Amino acid sequence: MKQQKKIAFVGAGNVAWSMAQALLAAGHEVISVYSRTSESREQLCKLLPKAKPAESLDMSDSNADIIIIAVPDAALDQITTTLKVKQNVLVVHTSGSRPLTVLESIRDARIGVFYPLQTFSKTKQVDFLSIPILIEAIDDETLLELKELALSICSDVHEVVSQTRKQLHLSAVFACNFTNHLLGISRQLLNEANLPIELLHPLIQETVTKASLQNPYNVQTGPAIRYDDIVIQEHIEMLKQHPRFQELYKALTSSIQNTSSRE
Amino acid sequence: MKQQKKIAFVGAGNVAWSMAQALLAAGHEVISVYSRTSESREQLCKLLPKAKPAESLDMSDSNADIIIIAVPDAALDQITTTLKVKQNVLVVHTSGSRPLTVLESIRDARIGVFYPLQTFSKTKQVDFLSIPILIEAIDDETLLELKELALSICSDVHEVVSQTRKQLHLSAVFACNFTNHLLGISRQLLNEANLPIELLHPLIQETVTKASLQNPYNVQTGPAIRYDDIVIQEHIEMLKQHPRFQELYKALTSSIQNTSSRE
């Protein structure tokens, strides 16, 4: 039987929001939420029956078994130098790109990484079950503890060292953040033509379904890969009101044309 | 009851391949397939019980009710100047970006456009039912005929003039062709880190699901929108073996940072 943990969150953003609710649903107890702004910590605590808003990073009196630091990468250094914890407590961060060692400055803690490979927003709760969680820890015992915690909320757990996780995060930036931006641009172009945005949904869905079945390089379609210069020039002309999109169009077209289809 | 049509294809590429099979399944008769190379026209005819490979673009003796020209945009001009058809036959092209008027040089024909908004490949048959088909025609009667043909294989038909269809096609290049390339890059980066490509599937699926529910600009995540310069610089450094990907990274990051989240 899985062990119930007492968990404290540092951070009340998108990741903390989703993860805290998933841990709660799995039977763990979220006992406190720290964040700089009182509004966000109180909002998240409202969703967590036993959680209290924490105003300080001195958690040396906390009963938490695990402290999960879910803050933007840029805020992580400041948190780790300020945070005070009880001897032997497990402290993890949830960052894809920061190494495990960033937590070494926290005295007396056992440290680890608990990185859920997903994009989160407060407006849409995702099902954690299908999300890969990547873990790393300072020693084998801690790793086992993190693995157990991960398996209590998801079914796909990977042990990955910091350097590999960083590469995975870079890959995810292309697959998620950059893709999302392109989908935003395509939606803006549809809007400007007074076309319903739903028109593109089947195409987008087929694109990602196909990309999960085959190497995308091998199924590339469109004017770039056909070297259809007439259409390409027309498109660039059509984007003249959007110089940034024009630049992207050229850079992506050039990249497609210079990419070998062999993996 | 829908009327069964006799259909001839000019072109045997990805679009012809998928569309011919969908029309066949809907009860129409595909009677011939022309393409420059004998191999591709014969391969497609093997899938179409009543179709014969055609070696010439002189189709003035053909019994076809409708001739569907499904060739790359760059080949369209040459086809239209060579093609000979019977008086009053309906000739359509399937291009997103070429205007209806490109068919005006075909003597004696009624002309139209029959553009399926989807990405096709021979290795994966798509379900036409959910694909939007965009139609345009020289007169109302022809438009009605095309609408009936479209509704026999799909449930989402739109009448769109050439200029609007061109804008839609540009939007689709961002949503499909460019997105596919980014997914290819992310897969390559995973491979280089010896990570399983399946790791990113839930993230990719969530990205497109979310983008269909909300304006992607409003749910943008990642280092660019957080202005996380440390991570951004690290990523650019990690891509030093891939100068093209580096350029794309910089251009996409800049575009994300300069895009307003208001539609």
Side-chain angles (χ1 to χ4, degrees), chain A residues 171 181 188 191 217 255 263, chain B residues 181 186 188 191 217 255 263:
Chain A
S171 172
H181 184 59
Q188 181 178 340
N191 275 340
Y217 288 163
S255 187
E263 212 162 2
Chain B
H181 184 59
S186 81
Q188 181 179 341
N191 275 340
Y217 289 163
S255 187
E263 212 163 2

Side-chain angles (χ1 to χ4, degrees), chain A residues 219-237:
Chain A
V219 292
Q220 183 67 51
T221 57
I225 196 70
R226 289 197 306 269
Y227 288 80
D228 191 335
D229 288 331
I230 297 172
V231 172
I232 292 168
Q233 288 311 318
E234 269 185 358
H235 282 171
I236 290 169
E237 170 67 20

Side-chain angles (χ1 to χ4, degrees), chain B residues 121-160:
Chain B
S121 54
K122 291 179 186 170
T123 49
K124 183 173 181 299
Q125 180 68 9
V126 292
D127 180 10
F128 251 83
L129 251 190
S130 64
I131 300 177
I133 293 183
L134 284 75
I135 57 171
E136 183 180 10
I138 197 71
D139 57 44
D140 288 348
E141 192 192 341
T142 308
L143 193 66
L144 207 66
E145 199 175 331
L146 275 182
K147 191 171 186 174
E148 197 175 291
L149 183 72
L151 285 172
S152 74
I153 56 171
C154 86
S155 59
D156 192 23
V157 181
H158 299 258
E159 301 167 24
V160 166

Side-chain angles (χ1 to χ4, degrees), chain A residues 112-132:
Chain A
V113 178
F114 197 77
Y115 171 52
L117 185 58
Q118 188 51 282
T119 174
F120 297 100
S121 54
K122 291 179 186 170
T123 50
K124 182 172 181 299
Q125 180 68 8
V126 292
D127 179 9
F128 253 82
L129 251 190
S130 64
I131 300 176

Side-chain angles (χ1 to χ4, degrees), chain A residues 166 170, chain B residues 223-224 227-240 246 249-250 253 257:
Chain A
K166 196 184 273 192
L170 173 59
Chain B
Y227 288 80
D228 190 335
D229 288 329
I230 296 172
V231 171
I232 292 168
Q233 288 311 318
E234 269 185 358
H235 282 170
I236 289 170
E237 170 66 19
M238 286 164 73
L239 290 169
K240 64 176 180 241
Q246 247 183 359
Y249 191 100
K250 289 177 193 169
T253 295
Q257 293 181 339

Side-chain angles (χ1 to χ4, degrees), chain A residues 72-74 97 117-121 123-124 126 130 132 158 164 166-193 195 199-217 219-223 226 228 231 234-235 238-239 244-245 248-249 251-253 255-256 258-259 263, chain B residues 72-74 97 117-121 123-124 126 130 132 158 164 166-193 195 199-217 219-223 226 228 231 234-235 238-239 244-245 248-249 251-253 255-256 258-259 263:
Chain A
D73 289 356
S97 51
L117 185 58
Q118 188 51 282
T119 174
F120 297 100
S121 54
T123 50
K124 182 172 181 299
V126 292
S130 64
H158 300 258
T164 308
K166 196 184 273 192
Q167 180 85 359
L168 177 63
H169 181 245
L170 173 59
S171 172
V173 167
F174 278 90
C176 166
N177 305 148
F178 289 166
T179 291
N180 180 70
H181 184 59
L182 293 187
L183 296 177
I185 292 173
S186 81
R187 179 171 166 137
Q188 181 178 340
L189 295 172
L190 279 183
N191 275 340
E192 289 174 2
L195 287 163
L199 263 183
L200 283 178
H201 289 171
L203 177 65
I204 294 168
Q205 189 54 56
E206 174 68 9
T207 301
V208 302
T209 301
K210 206 190 274 188
S212 72
L213 299 172
Q214 307 182 48
N215 181 355
Y217 288 163
V219 292
Q220 183 67 51
T221 57
R226 289 197 306 269
D228 191 335
V231 172
E234 269 185 358
H235 282 171
M238 287 164 74
L239 290 169
R244 275 185 294 111
F245 301 165
L248 286 181
Y249 191 99
L252 284 157
T253 295
S255 187
I256 289 170
N258 287 288
T259 297
E263 212 162 2
Chain B
D73 289 356
S97 51
L117 185 57
Q118 188 52 282
T119 175
F120 297 100
S121 54
T123 49
K124 183 173 181 299
V126 292
S130 64
H158 299 258
T164 308
K166 196 185 275 193
Q167 179 87 359
L168 178 61
H169 181 243
L170 173 60
S171 171
V173 167
F174 278 90
C176 167
N177 305 148
F178 290 166
T179 290
N180 180 71
H181 184 59
L182 294 187
L183 296 178
I185 292 172
S186 81
R187 180 171 165 136
Q188 181 179 341
L189 295 172
L190 278 183
N191 275 340
E192 289 175 2
L195 287 163
L199 262 183
L200 283 177
H201 289 172
L203 177 65
I204 294 168
Q205 190 53 58
E206 174 70 8
T207 301
V208 302
T209 301
K210 205 190 273 188
S212 72
L213 299 172
Q214 306 182 49
N215 181 356
Y217 289 163
V219 292
Q220 183 68 50
T221 56
R226 288 198 306 269
D228 190 335
V231 171
E234 269 185 358
H235 282 170
M238 286 164 73
L239 290 169
R244 275 186 294 110
F245 301 165
L248 286 180
Y249 191 100
L252 284 157
T253 295
S255 187
I256 289 170
N258 286 289
T259 298
E263 212 163 2

